[in-house]
Amino acid sequence: MKILLIFLLALLMWPLGADSPQKYKVLYVNSADVTVNGKPVKVGDVFDQNAIVRWTKERQAMKVIGLDDHKRYVMVNKPTEQNNISVLDILTHTSHMSTHDNGMGQEASPRDRLEQSIAPHYDLLDSILIPSTLPVNKNCYFLGSYKYGDTRLTKPLRCVSGQIVIDKNLFVVDGEHLEPRDILLTIDYMTEQGLPMFVKDNISLTIIPEWVP
C-alpha cells in the first residue's frame, strides 16, 4: 500500500515538472542596452522561456545555455523581430547555433549526413560548431571559401573533438585581419587522394559584432 501511495504521488507530481518552462543562463551579451523583464541583462542572469527581451539596436545578441537541454543558443535582434519579444518566440525563429536534425539514417554516407546537418544560415557571434564523422588529419581537412570584394578566399577550417569550427578567423588571411562581413560560405573536404570533395555552399553567415554601443 505504501509503495502504491508513493507511485500515485509521483504520478501526480510528474506533469508539473514536465510542463515547467525551460530556463536559460546568459553566457555572453554584446550590449548594455538589452533588457530582460525590464532589467539590464548581464552574464550569469537566469530567466525562463516566457521572459520578455527588449532590444534597442539591430544585431544586439545574447548567447545562452538551456539549463534543461544543455544546448547553447544565440539570440539576435534582426530587422524582422519585434523590439519586445519573448525568449520562446526568439528561439522558435532561430536555428540552433551548431546544427539541425538531418533526419537521415546511418545508411547515408558521412558526407551526405554532414551536408544535411549544416543549416542554410548561421549568426556568427564567436564560433559555430558543426559535428562531423569525416576523419581529419594532416592530409584530410575541411576548407571554407567565400567571396570578399572581388577576391575569392579559401581557408582551412579547424576541427576540435569531431566538430568543424567556424569563427572570425575566417577573416585572417596571410596575417592580415580583414573586416568581418556577411558572407556566403562554401565548405569542401580535402580527401586522402588530395582532391577536394564538395560538402555544401551558399551557407549564409551573418556577422554579429562582439559589442554594440
Side-chain angles (χ1 to χ4, degrees), residues 113-129:
R113 290 199 301 271
L114 175 59
E115 179 189 9
Q116 291 301 314
S117 73
I118 300 173
H121 174 264
Y122 292 97
D123 294 311
L124 177 53
L125 176 58
D126 51 1
S127 62
I128 298 161
L129 303 178

Side-chain angles (χ1 to χ4, degrees), residues 57-75:
K57 299 181 181 72
E58 188 178 339
R59 303 204 187 196
Q60 287 176 325
M62 285 187 289
K63 181 196 283 187
V64 300
I65 184 169
L67 298 184
D68 293 332
D69 62 14
H70 305 293
K71 292 181 180 180
R72 299 189 178 203
Y73 303 85
V74 173
M75 299 189 291

Side-chain angles (χ1 to χ4, degrees), residues 39 94 110 168 170 188-189 191:
K39 297 180 179 179
T94 303
K168 292 174 184 174
L170 274 173
D188 295 294
Y189 175 73
T191 64

Side-chain angles (χ1 to χ4, degrees), residues 114 132-136 140-144 155-159 164 187-190 199:
L114 175 59
S132 169
T133 58
L134 289 168
V136 173
C140 300
Y141 49 89
F142 291 95
L143 293 169
K155 287 267 299 186
L157 300 175
R158 290 190 302 123
C159 278
I164 306 168
I187 296 179
D188 295 294
Y189 175 73
M190 189 63 69
V199 176

